[in-house]
Amino acid sequence: MPPSDIDYMLRALELARQAEAADEVPIGAVLVRNDAIIATGANQPIGACDPTAHAEIEAMRAGARALGGYRLTDTTLYVTLEPCLMCAAALVHARVRRVVFGAFDPLAGGAGGLIDVFKLGGLNHRVDVFGGVLAEQCGALLRGFFERRRD
């Protein structure tokens, strides 16, 4: 039996915990093609001194290298938090087929939280988006991180 959305999200949660251990906001991403993980990413804008080093971008960069091109057709990206506007736009440009995310982000989400980039008219590619997979676990990891930062 092939892995499920939950299996891939559990791997993304492991990556989010690695980001947290590096004192980054705990977000992890897994890029899958043909039921195989081809790339992963963990949030690292602080450590990389790169404002674009979000987990999704890191996974897409690694995936592009693995596939030998910037088009990530027939892939699914699993990420623990709803993609931001930047990441949502990058997912469209990379031609990712499907995005599955965990926690919703009503303040900065680009898949409906703040705005739904994926539903903007005139885009030359459509991405199927599904949110809420292991949302409680993903959200609890983020809430715990920020609560500890405030203390």
Side-chain angles (χ1 to χ4, degrees):
M1 175 179 284
S4 69
D5 288 349
I6 291 172
D7 296 321
Y8 294 122
M9 191 62 72
L10 286 169
R11 177 67 179 117
L13 274 164
E14 289 175 16
L15 293 159
R17 288 185 193 97
Q18 290 175 14
E20 182 177 36
D23 211 25
E24 300 276 1
V25 175
I27 302 170
V30 174
L31 189 65
V32 173
R33 188 181 214 186
N34 298 326
D35 295 326
I37 295 173
I38 61 167
T40 62
N43 218 34
Q44 59 177 344
I46 297 166
C49 294
D50 179 355
T52 69
H54 291 194
E56 301 96 320
I57 300 295
E58 294 300 304
M60 285 189 286
R61 286 176 179 155
R65 286 190 298 273
L67 296 176
Y70 72 100
R71 297 281 192 228
L72 302 175
T73 55
D74 299 321
T75 60
T76 299
L77 183 94
Y78 295 86
V79 62
T80 56
L81 181 66
E82 178 182 348
C84 71
L85 302 176
M86 173 186 70
C87 292
L91 289 158
V92 171
H93 287 295
R95 306 298 195 271
V96 170
R97 180 179 50 85
R98 184 171 175 246
V99 173
V100 178
F101 66 87
F104 290 84
D105 186 353
L107 299 176
L114 176 64
I115 189 171
D116 195 338
V117 170
F118 301 106
K119 290 185 180 175
L120 293 174
L123 295 176
N124 60 357
H125 175 71
R126 293 288 168 203
V127 179
D128 293 327
V129 181
F130 183 75
V133 174
L134 298 181
E136 183 51 41
Q137 288 170 281
C138 295
L141 183 62
L142 286 158
R143 280 189 304 278
F145 174 81
F146 286 113
E147 285 170 3
R148 285 187 297 282
R149 298 286 287 230
R150 286 186 211 106
D151 289 341

